[in-house]
Amino acid sequence: MIDKIDLEQRIATYRLSDPMIVLIGPMGAGKTTVGRKLAQNLHLDFVDTDQAIEQNAGCRITEIFEQEGEEGFRQREKQALETYCCLSGTVIATGGGAILAETNRRMMRNGIVIYLHATPVQQFQRIKKRTHRPNFNPDDGVDSLIRLMKVREPLYRGEADFTVNTGKQSIELIISAIEKFLVGL
Ligand code: S3P
């Protein structure tokens, strides 16, 4: 853990440089939970693009997929990134599939990109009881998660300035690892 003086110094530095921190990684890696806490610790704003998309559309992501298809959702996701991926002083949690589009990846590079990594089995354990993700069907077990990771993992790795495994560690350790990385920048 970083001691209090370091923490204050670091916050002062961040307030001056106002970073934009972009969290990437698959469903269930903990982007929202980690992002909210990290933003709180660093006195930065927090945005979750999935939540922003839902607020803007006035409905859940599942309904967007039903009415507009995945293509419609990806279009909305791109617009959300255009809105938020230029905001300094912000931690942005992105959706697991945002990494697919080159335009999105380019926007993410405006910030410090942190990849929250979890294995498909760990992802499955976390999200199996939640049915609001259209690209995940709990009845498929880990299979669909493995399929998605095959395509997306190289893209996550390719964009990451820093990677942290979120599968087994406590949120405190995950945040501490990210903070140590940021301090060393
Ligand atoms: C998706 C991940 C979801 C959400 C949408 C599609 C995906 O975000 O954007 O359901 O294709 O992996 P989380 O990664 O926050 O669950």
Side-chain angles (χ1 to χ4, degrees):
M1 283 283 159
I2 293 165
D3 71 33
K4 192 166 177 294
I5 293 173
D6 273 358
L7 186 72
E8 279 165 5
Q9 259 170 6
R10 192 196 53 225
I11 289 168
T13 311
Y14 283 140
R15 292 315 299 171
L16 287 177
S17 57
D18 270 343
M20 180 180 91
I21 298 170
V22 184
L23 302 184
I24 60 170
M27 296 176 248
K31 296 171 301 246
T32 305
T33 313
V34 170
R36 190 170 284 122
K37 180 83 181 115
L38 185 68
Q40 204 179 29
N41 279 14
L42 302 180
H43 296 219
L44 300 172
D45 295 328
F46 174 68
V47 177
D48 180 297
T49 55
D50 283 341
Q51 284 170 9
I53 292 165
E54 288 187 332
Q55 265 165 21
N56 200 266
C59 63
R60 301 303 306 264
I61 287 174
T62 26
E63 292 167 72
I64 301 176
F65 267 67
E66 276 159 24
Q67 286 159 23
E68 304 172 12
E70 179 158 356
E71 207 181 307
F73 172 75
R74 296 296 170 206
Q75 188 56 32
R76 287 175 179 273
E77 187 170 56
K78 180 168 116 6
Q79 282 160 4
L81 289 167
E82 278 164 358
T83 306
Y84 298 112
C85 271
C86 52
L87 295 184
S88 54
T90 310
V91 177
I92 303 164
T94 61
I99 199 73
L100 292 169
E102 163 63 23
T103 334
N104 296 349
R105 297 198 293 274
R106 220 174 317 120
M107 287 191 272
M108 290 171 186
R109 287 174 210 145
N110 289 330
I112 302 163
V113 180
I114 298 181
Y115 171 27
L116 304 193
H117 174 267
T119 66
V121 171
Q122 290 161 342
Q123 287 177 258
F124 185 74
Q125 287 309 324
R126 292 220 182 110
I127 63 175
K128 64 183 173 192
K129 296 216 175 85
R130 306 192 199 144
T131 53
H132 65 279
R133 288 175 169 94
N135 276 346
F136 169 66
N137 178 358
D139 297 339
D140 289 347
V142 289
D143 289 357
S144 58
L145 298 173
I146 292 172
R147 270 198 303 276
L148 291 177
M149 271 302 252
K150 268 209 178 113
V151 176
R152 297 174 180 184
E153 166 97 308
L155 300 173
Y156 294 136
R157 297 248 176 233
E159 294 307 318
D161 294 308
F162 181 66
T163 300
V164 59
N165 290 318
T166 61
K168 286 193 194 141
Q169 306 194 73
S170 67
I171 177 133
E172 287 77 18
L173 282 178
I174 294 164
I175 298 278
S176 164
I178 296 173
E179 288 180 347
K180 275 189 190 133
F181 162 72
L182 293 171
V183 168
L185 278 181

